[in-house]
Amino acid sequence: MDYTISIGSNEQRRENMELARRRLTELFPGIRFSEEEETEPLFFHRPNLFSNQVARFVSDNPAEEITVCLKTIEREAGRKPEEKEREIVRLDIDLLSCDETVYKPKELKRGYILRGLKQLL
């Protein structure tokens, strides 16, 4: 199955994005990453910029298992649920799609996602 994910961080961005890429590469050999892009926060009042990236990989694992892996990496970066209300995103890794199934249609329309996907074609 072909998976597309997004990766983002607005706290300790360099370290957390590097952690995400390293762990994802360990779990999904052959994963391909778009260039990292710095973006303004979309829905936050906190002015911290985001680092964003898109990645694609192939896996035989079902989407539920992939999601568990992604959330485990977020926790490794120190993500805590209570930080969301303070608009701290240490690491956010979202499953956007698997083959023809789209999980985050609104996100797939965002400029940085579209640019990242174009790089990975």
Side-chain angles (χ1 to χ4, degrees):
M1 293 176 276
D2 291 312
Y3 287 97
T4 303
I5 61 172
S6 64
I7 310 162
S9 175
N10 75 351
E11 186 78 20
Q12 296 177 304
R13 296 182 300 161
R14 184 176 36 131
E15 297 88 349
N16 289 324
M17 295 296 284
E18 286 175 5
L19 169 71
R21 285 189 295 269
R22 185 177 70 250
R23 293 290 291 123
L24 288 163
T25 300
E26 291 168 1
L27 291 167
F28 309 110
I31 189 170
R32 296 180 306 126
F33 297 94
S34 68
E35 293 178 17
E36 192 173 312
E37 186 174 329
E38 189 173 78
T39 61
E40 298 283 335
L42 292 176
F43 306 108
F44 289 2
H45 295 88
R46 186 173 188 245
N48 290 41
L49 295 174
F50 274 80
S51 289
N52 292 289
Q53 195 164 35
V54 178
R56 299 192 78 189
F57 60 91
V58 174
S59 176
D60 292 330
N61 295 334
E64 296 79 17
E65 285 183 30
I66 298 297
T67 300
V68 168
C69 292
L70 303 181
K71 298 310 163 192
T72 299
I73 297 170
E74 289 179 356
R75 286 191 301 278
E76 286 177 33
R79 184 166 184 181
K80 297 175 178 70
E82 61 270 16
E83 290 181 333
K84 190 171 187 174
E85 67 186 41
R86 295 186 318 193
E87 300 183 341
I88 295 171
V89 180
R90 293 183 188 280
L91 188 61
D92 184 35
I93 311 175
D94 288 325
L95 176 58
L96 300 177
S97 67
C98 173
D99 293 333
E100 301 303 315
T101 303
V102 175
Y103 296 101
K104 303 270 185 170
K106 288 182 183 177
E107 287 190 26
L108 281 172
K109 295 177 183 173
R110 293 183 181 161
Y112 67 89
I113 299 281
L114 294 171
R115 288 186 293 276
L117 289 172
K118 188 174 182 180
Q119 292 173 21
L120 296 174
L121 290 178

